[in-house]
Amino acid sequence: MDLNLDLNAPHSMGTTIIGVTYNDGVVLGVDSRTSTGMYVAKRASDKITQLTDNVYVFRSRFAADSQVVSDYVRYFLHQHTIQLGQPATVKVAANLIRLLSYNNKNTLETGLIVGGWDKYEG
């Protein structure tokens, strides 16, 4: 085992996210490791949040920021569904995430990707 680690060497951090479409839907996947610098802080972190029955958001960077944005969007989508009487589309969810993120870009440090399926655009 080599214990001569170069602590100043660049290291790769980041969340691995994948979304694949096929004829009948979408497959979404994300890794579960949470890192702090070069150390793995948590091996089983949930980075996918369900916004509606058919829409999910991938969360990366600061967990607190991404969780609060996800909670607000889930609330707004629930109200949207009640008002329209039908499920919100993936595009509506993505636009809500975009608006919240952009309007708070100076305070939020998070990356969010929306994925899902709806009857209008697949």
Side-chain angles (χ1 to χ4, degrees):
M1 184 162 92
D2 182 18
L3 296 177
N4 296 324
L5 298 174
D6 182 5
L7 297 179
N8 294 320
H11 55 276
S12 176
M13 297 183 313
T15 297
T16 302
I17 297 172
I18 186 168
V20 179
T21 60
Y22 63 100
N23 290 342
D24 297 325
V26 179
V27 175
L28 306 170
V30 64
D31 71 329
S32 63
R33 185 188 73 224
T34 300
S35 59
T36 302
M38 59 189 290
Y39 300 103
V40 175
K42 190 174 180 183
R43 294 191 186 276
S45 180
D46 190 10
K47 297 180 185 178
I48 297 180
T49 301
Q50 185 175 15
L51 298 176
T52 67
D53 289 341
N54 59 323
V55 181
Y56 293 81
V57 64
F58 296 117
R59 301 180 299 108
S60 65
R61 301 217 4 113
F62 290 132
D65 289 355
S66 63
Q67 287 171 347
V68 75
V69 170
S70 299
D71 289 345
Y72 275 114
V73 170
R74 188 180 313 115
Y75 171 76
F76 292 144
L77 291 175
H78 180 71
Q79 296 301 316
H80 180 81
T81 300
I82 290 171
Q83 289 176 348
L84 294 182
Q86 62 185 7
T89 64
V90 178
K91 189 179 244 179
V92 167
N95 277 321
L96 284 172
I97 293 276
R98 180 186 57 82
L99 287 170
L100 276 172
S101 297
Y102 184 76
N103 290 333
N104 297 286
K105 65 183 173 188
N106 294 326
T107 56
L108 293 175
E109 291 194 32
T110 186
L112 300 162
I113 297 176
V114 178
W117 183 91
D118 62 59
K119 64 182 181 180
Y120 301 106
E121 295 187 39

